């Protein structure tokens, strides 16, 4: 607020040695009234602040007024030149003004894509702010974030390390933990696992030993546990993560019962929090969805996605924080994959369109999620049997990502496209060499390595090399069973069942396909149910079980009809034209389809 300094500003050394003049308080009061009106009256707010200069105010008041004007113009108008002018004038000799001005000015430069102008402003402010703990820590966080956004994670980690040591010297173990956890997050992004493990161990000790504000302590625990959970999920260890995930869910329940403590820390270096309580709640829903998706608990994933999206809609009415849109996009990415598995392609396509719209509103969001968007379109294309489009989407996605796990996921799915097409042997073998699960697999992900064994098994099956296929699929089964990877398990079981059926071993085939059907129904995975029911029909027919064969045929017919209706609905949507988009920003308008244009033969 302008009218009254916040407690944070006061704690950061923003007190004035002189009592403010009545005219100054009056103009600030009017400015704040106009700024917080509904709707805000920004022009009148600016007039009130500009009127301060008419009174020839003292230099400190003049500097602070430039700061307030620059801030209002930057956040509420498009008058960037005037905003920049006021913010640059605000960087004065007064501590309570210059650091805040440097912080907002660097934000402004970044918004104008002038990152190289933002860095020196922050560096200079960091150099001269060591006697002002709050601002020194805040500016270190800000410059580290700027480097992280530029993908310069080494510089960002160095700054966070400096911040952690400064916080330790200043006697704030809480802020030290925030710096170290932030560094751990970036090290995880860089896959520097040898550095991550000792750092997280140190963080765990600091968090458990720190005695302070209960909400701050629990928020540190949430941060720590989120890093642990995402680390496990990145490694595809769905079963191993469960104890950590349970602790995280209990932790967020504890936070939701605590009342916000209005008493601020006495140490100015500790005037920070990681995320608002409501944002943490959405984040815990998000990692729960990620786990449910990987494990194949798709109804659970749907339930938590619905809760998270509802919470996000409420938050976005009051909060324009960019992280909320990021949460929303990641949630949609996961639920889209669920829809494709459960046989709801039309809904998935509409949600892909929703992600496109969110990315159109934010260039940074599009840059960070373009590869995922093309990957989702590739998966959708597979589901509607548009293999040429699927190949084009996956190829586009590969060109847009440097993330090793995503790259491996895309290559695995592209290999499945080439196997289905049956005439792309050279390209297929080239891909398979790069994701060989027996030798130099590119990532440490348990889940992706299990999927690579499955792809090898699928290829061997199509080539009639059944013993080799069984070896690969048994490896997938062993790995899937170790980490509760239910979808891979169901796919491997039904493919093994198919192999035993072809070999005439009906008993062993039945031992595979029955649990595959049960698992597919539990997930639920519509394609595996379709495949299993077709196999059960043929198996029972071959064994002379007429009633069971009839029941399986009826099930197969029902699944076929459901998938066929959904297929027609999806291909008839205007958004279906997205399958042709492979370059640049996603199209804003979609032309209506004249009915489905894709082959339905593969479904039936």
């Amino acid at each position: 607020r302008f009218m009254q300094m916040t407690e944070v500003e006061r704690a950061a050394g923003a007190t004035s040695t002189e009592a403010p003049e009545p005219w100054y308080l009056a103009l600030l009061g009017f400015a704040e009234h106009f700024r917080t009106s509904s709707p805000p009256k920004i022009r009148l707010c600016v007039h009130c602040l500009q009127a301060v200069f008419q009174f020839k105010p003292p230099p400190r008041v003049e500097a602070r007024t430039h700061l307030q004007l620059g801030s209002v113009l930057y956040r509420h108008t498009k008058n960037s030149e005037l905003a920049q002018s006021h913010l640059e004038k605000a960087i004065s000799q007064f501590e309570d003004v210059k650091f805040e001005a440097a912080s907002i000015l660097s934000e402004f430069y970044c918004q104008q894509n002038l990152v190289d102008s933002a860095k020196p402003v922050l560096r200079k402010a960091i150099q001269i702010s060591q006697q002002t703990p709050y601002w020194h820590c805040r500016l270190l966080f800000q410059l580290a974030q700027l480097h992280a956004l530029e993908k310069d994670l080494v510089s960002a980690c160095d700054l966070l390390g400096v911040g952690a040591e400064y916080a330790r010297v200043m006697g704030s173990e809480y802020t030290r933990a925030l710096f170290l956890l932030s560094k751990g997050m970036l090290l995880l992004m860089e896959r520097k696992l040898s550095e991550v493990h000792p750092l997280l161990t140190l963080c765990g000790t600091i968090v458990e030993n720190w005695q302070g504000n209960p909400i701050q302590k629990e928020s540190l625990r949430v941060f720590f546990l989120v890093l642990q959970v995402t680390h496990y999920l990145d490694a595809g260890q769905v079963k191993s993560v469960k104890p950590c995930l349970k602790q995280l869910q209990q932790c967020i329940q504890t936070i939701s019962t605590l009342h916000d403590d209005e008493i601020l820390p006495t140490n100015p270096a500790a005037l920070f929090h990681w995320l608002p309580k409501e944002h943490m709640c959405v984040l815990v829903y998000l990692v729960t969805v990620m786990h449910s998706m990987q494990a194949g608990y798709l109804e659970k994933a749907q339930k938590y996605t619905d809760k998270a999206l509802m919470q996000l809609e409420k938050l976005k009415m009051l909060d324009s924080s960019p992280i909320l849109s990021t949460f929303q996009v990641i949630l949609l990415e996961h639920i889209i994959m669920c829809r494709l598995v459960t046989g709801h392609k039309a809904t998935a396509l509409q949600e892909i369109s929703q992600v496109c719209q969110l990315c159109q509103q934010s260039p940074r969001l599009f840059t960070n999620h373009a590869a995922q968007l093309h990957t989702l379109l590739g998966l959708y294309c597979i589901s509607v049997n548009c293999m040429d489009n699927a190949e084009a989407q996956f190829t586009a996605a590969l060109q847009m990502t440097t993330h090793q796990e995503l790259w491996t996921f895309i290559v695995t799915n592209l290999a499945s496209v080439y196997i289905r097409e049956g005439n792309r042997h050279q390209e297929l073998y080239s891909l398979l060499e790069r994701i060989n699960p027996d030798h130099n697999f590119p990532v440490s992900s348990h889940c992706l390595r299990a999927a690579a064994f499955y792809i090898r098994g699928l290829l061997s099956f199509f080539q009639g090399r059944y013993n080799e296929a069984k070896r690969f699929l048994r490896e997938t089964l062993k790995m899937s069973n170790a980490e509760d990877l239910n979808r891979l398990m169901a796919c491997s079981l039904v493919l093994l069942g198919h192999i035993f059926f072809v070999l005439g071993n009906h008993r062993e085939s039945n031992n595979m396909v029955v649990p595959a059907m049960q698992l597919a129904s539990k997930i639920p995975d519509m394609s595996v149910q379709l495949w299993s029911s077709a196999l059960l029909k043929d198996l029972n027919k071959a064994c002379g079980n007429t009633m069971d064969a009839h029941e399986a045929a009826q099930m197969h017919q029902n699944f076929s009809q459901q998938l066929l209706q959904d297929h027609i609905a999806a291909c008839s949507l205007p958004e279906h034209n997205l399958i042709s988009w492979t370059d640049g920003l996603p199209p804003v308008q979609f032309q209506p389809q004249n009915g489905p244009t894709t082959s339905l033969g593969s479904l039936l």
Side-chain angles (χ1 to χ4, degrees), residues 158-294:
D158 288 345
L159 284 161
L160 293 168
V162 169
E165 179 57 22
Y166 177 82
R168 186 191 67 77
V169 171
M170 297 307 297
S172 176
E173 287 294 282
Y174 167 75
T175 305
R176 181 188 177 204
L178 278 181
F179 274 113
L180 289 174
L181 287 165
S182 301
K183 184 178 178 180
M185 179 173 67
L186 296 186
L187 290 172
L188 278 173
M189 288 166 66
E190 278 196 285
R191 300 292 178 266
K192 291 190 174 177
L193 302 185
S194 61
E195 293 179 51
V196 168
H197 294 144
L199 186 66
L200 285 183
T201 302
L202 173 62
C203 288
T205 305
I206 294 172
V207 171
E208 290 310 311
N209 292 341
W210 184 70
Q211 301 300 318
N213 181 311
I215 284 187
Q216 286 186 312
K217 184 177 177 74
E218 290 302 311
S219 74
L220 285 178
R221 290 191 73 224
V222 169
F223 196 171
F224 173 69
L225 289 166
V226 163
L227 292 187
Q228 284 204 311
V229 169
T230 50
H231 179 35
Y232 276 117
L233 291 178
D234 268 354
Q237 294 175 327
V238 174
K239 189 175 183 178
S240 305
V241 77
K242 284 182 178 178
C244 279
L245 183 59
K246 192 173 180 182
Q247 281 185 60
L248 178 59
Q249 290 163 342
Q250 288 169 344
C251 197
I252 201 69
Q253 285 177 346
T254 303
I255 285 186
S256 63
T257 63
L258 295 172
H259 295 291
D260 290 321
D261 194 345
E262 295 297 328
I263 302 170
L264 287 167
T266 53
N267 188 339
L271 290 163
F272 298 95
H273 63 244
W274 174 49
L275 280 177
K277 199 161 56 171
E278 297 79 12
H279 291 200
M280 280 190 268
C281 185
V282 174
L283 181 57
V284 174
Y285 281 142
L286 174 55
V287 294
T288 303
V289 168
M290 290 166 71
H291 173 261
S292 301
M293 175 67 214
Q294 276 200 37

Side-chain angles (χ1 to χ4, degrees), residues 336-386:
I336 287 162
M337 289 188 282
C338 288
R339 307 269 196 224
L340 292 173
V341 172
T342 57
H344 298 94
K345 295 184 280 289
T347 308
L349 186 56
Q350 289 167 327
E351 285 165 340
I352 290 173
S353 174
Q354 198 179 337
V355 174
C356 288
Q357 289 164 19
L358 286 165
C359 287
Q360 282 165 352
Q361 295 162 19
S362 167
R364 183 178 293 158
L365 205 57
F366 178 68
T367 301
N368 291 338
H369 291 269
Q372 291 91 316
L373 198 43
H374 285 291
T375 304
L376 291 171
L377 280 167
L379 296 174
Y380 167 77
C381 290
I382 290 176
S383 76
V384 292
N385 200 31
C386 295

Side-chain angles (χ1 to χ4, degrees), residues 31-50:
E32 179 68 351
H33 166 74
F34 291 130
R35 188 184 71 87
T36 56
S37 296
S38 184
K41 298 173 181 175
I42 298 303
R43 189 171 59 84
L44 293 174
C45 171
V46 169
H47 282 329
C48 290
L49 291 171
Q50 286 172 331

Side-chain angles (χ1 to χ4, degrees), residues 17 186 414 523:
T17 53
L186 296 186
L414 183 55
I523 291 171

Side-chain angles (χ1 to χ4, degrees), residues 508-556:
E508 199 61 39
S509 177
N510 192 67
N511 289 342
M512 297 290 133
V513 75
V514 169
M517 186 59 149
Q518 290 168 344
L519 202 50
S521 303
K522 182 181 165 187
I523 291 171
D525 186 323
M526 189 66 81
S527 297
V528 175
Q529 284 177 296
L530 184 74
W531 188 1
S532 299
S533 58
L535 192 51
L536 274 173
K537 178 186 69 173
D538 294 342
L539 191 57
N540 283 305
K541 193 174 176 182
C543 295
N545 302 328
T546 311
M547 291 293 290
D548 290 339
H550 178 74
E551 187 183 331
Q554 190 59 53
M555 274 197 298
H556 184 259

